[in-house]
């Protein structure tokens, strides 16, 4: 296995059959400039000063990438339901980094063309990379597992989209970039059982070593990934997050939120909310995220059929049995987090109707998702919406019969954020940042780092946009 001691990186991924990657070097940028460096993350991951220096020297072009065994990953995926061969077309893995026994990928996104770039330029715009930085760090602040953003580097060259824009690259960290699409690549593109076994064993060892002890580790992996994805998406529902492009190539086996293209946060509650410009049928609408993750997990299960059991019929039966549990698992996870939003920490099915009823009223009244739940959480901010009154009476009664309002409010305040990245503020912050003014970007990042705590003088960050902003807001897979 190639090893390399530049900033302490290793390359366990290169132990896989070489069909899974292509050795690649990042492009040389004309005038690289580190615009953002996430010191908190660097400290959290315990990078030494020497390691940080080496990494920033590489990014600044002071050191060459020559000694790194950097590579791009091959994968495939179902994009909006259609199967395609893909791969890192604009990202290169600089290496793996170990901290506290956990391996993290360190990837440079916007790093130039690779074997998998097809017609793309391999580059990224500054606005898109700043957006990923802001949104991924906000998700982390909201206690939702996510890829992290370590740095944004201005490249000093224009990137041509509809118009010329400033180019940039992002350094991101994630437990692993292995996706459902990586398994689809092995199962449907190379079609080799050995490849499938290799990626399965590798994923188990790296991400879910606990299933190795099980009688059927492949079944264990499927079960584990399903549960982790259910928990992740239930938490997206908790904060009103719309991923926007839940293609199977954007579903990480580690169940970390990643690929922040067209994602956005919902303002007024409506399950049909979609912002992505390319999602015309609402496939990835807010309220569709549960059926979609189920669909994506079915694609994952299909890839494992050849190795789930030596007899195909038994394989199918095993997978089917696991899928029969999906809806129950989803309800438990979803209502589990939603009940916390109204103050219950024990998951009792008799309370589920209380959640549904509240959401119905919110939908009919066009109430702001975040602010409604937060107002319910706070005595100081009573919610005087007339049609909510009968619901509130029922809720008070249920809370009193449970552990009381004081206890309920404590739970609610920990699960209902005060601040989310409001679309209109995100756009303003990004536009300002691209024009050289980082003030709003920094202030927004700052409130979003502790979003469950009300911060003095920051009410502006809690306000939803004008209705006409939201109804015409569009996000892009913007590269
Ligand atoms: P995404 O929408 O970011 O999940 O990307 C889907 C696929 O398109 C991935 O295989 C990317 O690597 C590839 N891709 C996206 N943008 C570019 C680009 N500018 N150049 C090359 N490949 C790209
Ligand atoms: Mg992607």
């Amino acid at each position: 296995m190639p090893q390399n001691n530049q900033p302490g990186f290793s390359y366990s991924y290169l132990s896989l059959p070489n069909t899974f990657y292509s050795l690649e070097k990042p492009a040389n940028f004309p005038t690289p400039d580190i615009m953002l460096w996430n010191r908190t993350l660097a400290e959290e991951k315990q990078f030494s000063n020497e390691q940080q220096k080496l990494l920033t020297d590489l990014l600044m072009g002071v050191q060459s990438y020559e000694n790194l065994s950097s590579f791009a990953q091959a994968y495939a995926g179902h994009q909006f339901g259609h199967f395609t061969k893909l791969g890192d077309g604009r990202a290169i893995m600089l290496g793996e980094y170990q901290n506290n026994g956990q391996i993290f990928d360190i990837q440079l996104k916007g790093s130039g063309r690779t074997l998998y770039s097809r017609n793309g330029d391999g580059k990224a715009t500054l606005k898109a990379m700043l957006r990923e930085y802001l949104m991924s760090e906000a998700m982390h602040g909201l206690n939702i597992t996510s890829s992290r953003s370590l740095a944004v580097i201005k490249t000093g060259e224009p990137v041509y989209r509809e118009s010329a824009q400033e180019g940039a690259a992002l350094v991101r960290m994630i437990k692993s970039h292995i996706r459902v699409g990586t398994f689809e690549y092995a199962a449907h593109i190379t079609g080799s059982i050995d490849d499938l076994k290799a990626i399965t064993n590798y994923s188990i060892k790296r991400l879910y070593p606990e299933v190795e002890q099980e009688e059927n580790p492949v079944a264990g992996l499927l079960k584990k990934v399903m549960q982790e994805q259910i928990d992740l998406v239930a938490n997206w529902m908790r904060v009103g997050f719309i991923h926007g492009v839940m293609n199977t190539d954007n579903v990480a086996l580690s169940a970390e939120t990643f690929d922040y293209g067209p994602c956005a946060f919902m303002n007024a509650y409506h399950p049909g909310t979609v912002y992505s410009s390319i999602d015309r049928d609402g496939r990835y609408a807010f309220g569709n995220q549960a059926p979609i993750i189920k669909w994506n997990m079915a694609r994952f299960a299909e890839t494992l059929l050849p190795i789930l059991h030596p007899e195909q019929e038994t394989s199918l039966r095993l997978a089917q049995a696991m899928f029969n549990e999906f809806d129950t698992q989803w309800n438990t996870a979803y209502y589990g987090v939603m009940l916390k939003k109204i103050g219950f920490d024990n998951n009792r099915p008799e309370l589920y109707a209380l959640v549904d009823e509240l959401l119905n009223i919110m939908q009919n009244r066009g109430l702001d998702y975040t602010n409604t739940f937060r107002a319910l959480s706070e005595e100081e901010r009573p919610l005087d919406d007339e049609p909510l009154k009968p619901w509130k009476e029922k809720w008070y009664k249920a809370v009193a019969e449970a552990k009381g309002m004081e206890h309920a409010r404590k739970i609610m305040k920990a699960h209902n954020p005060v601040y989310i990245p409001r679309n209109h503020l995100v756009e303003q912050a990004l536009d300002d940042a691209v024009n050289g003014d980082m003030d709003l970007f920094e202030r927004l990042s700052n409130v979003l780092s502790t979003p469950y705590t009300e911060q003095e003088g920051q009410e502006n960050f809690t306000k939803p946009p004008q209705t006409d902003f939201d109804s015409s807001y569009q996000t892009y897979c913007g590269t």
Side-chain angles (χ1 to χ4, degrees), residues 75 179 249-250 259:
Y75 51 89
R179 6 169 143 238
D249 51 303
N250 294 334
D259 223 309

Side-chain angles (χ1 to χ4, degrees), residues 13 26 82 107 111 134 139 147 178 191 217 237 344 380 384 412 433 451:
Y13 203 79
H82 304 284
Q107 195 202 56
S111 48
L134 186 71
M139 287 297 267
S147 66
I178 296 170
M237 305 304 283
F344 301 97
E380 317 78 67
D384 292 324
M412 291 168 80

Side-chain angles (χ1 to χ4, degrees), residues 243-301:
H243 183 282
V245 61
M246 291 172 73
N247 294 332
T248 53
D249 51 303
N250 294 334
V251 177
L253 235 67
S254 60
E256 290 158 287
T257 313
F258 94 121
D259 223 309
Y260 289 88
C263 69
F265 278 75
M266 179 174 61
N267 291 298
Y269 174 74
H270 196 295
T273 309
V274 177
Y275 296 110
S276 167
S277 60
I278 57 167
D279 191 3
R280 292 199 186 85
D281 302 324
R283 179 181 171 90
Y284 300 136
F286 179 71
N288 244 2
Q289 298 188 116
I292 284 295
I293 199 62
K294 184 177 180 181
W295 193 89
N296 287 344
M297 289 298 99
R299 303 290 77 75
F300 180 47

Side-chain angles (χ1 to χ4, degrees), residues 177-247:
H177 282 86
I178 296 170
R179 6 169 143 238
V180 169
T182 317
F183 280 73
E184 291 180 293
Y185 174 81
H188 312 312
I189 302 284
T190 83
S192 140
I193 291 283
D194 288 342
D195 290 347
L196 187 58
K197 283 185 178 159
I199 190 69
T200 304
N201 291 336
Y202 179 83
S203 302
I204 290 175
K205 279 205 164 57
R206 180 156 170 188
L207 295 170
Y208 300 109
E210 64 274 24
V211 308
E212 243 174 329
Q213 314 307 324
E214 291 183 17
E215 199 186 314
N216 184 340
V218 180
L221 177 69
L222 175 56
K223 199 167 165 198
K224 188 82 192 165
V225 172
M226 253 172 70
Q227 185 62 58
E228 295 281 326
Q229 283 293 341
I230 285 171
D231 290 340
L232 177 68
V233 178
N235 267 292
W236 292 354
M237 305 304 283
R238 175 171 67 80
V239 297
F241 176 77
I242 307 164
H243 183 282
V245 61
M246 291 172 73
N247 294 332

Side-chain angles (χ1 to χ4, degrees), residues 75 79 86-90 117-118 120-123 161 249-250 259 479:
Y75 51 89
Q79 299 193 306
L86 296 158
D88 287 333
R90 54 165 167 160
S117 297
R118 296 179 291 180
D121 58 3
K123 301 285 167 78
R161 296 296 179 255
D249 51 303
N250 294 334
D259 223 309
T479 58

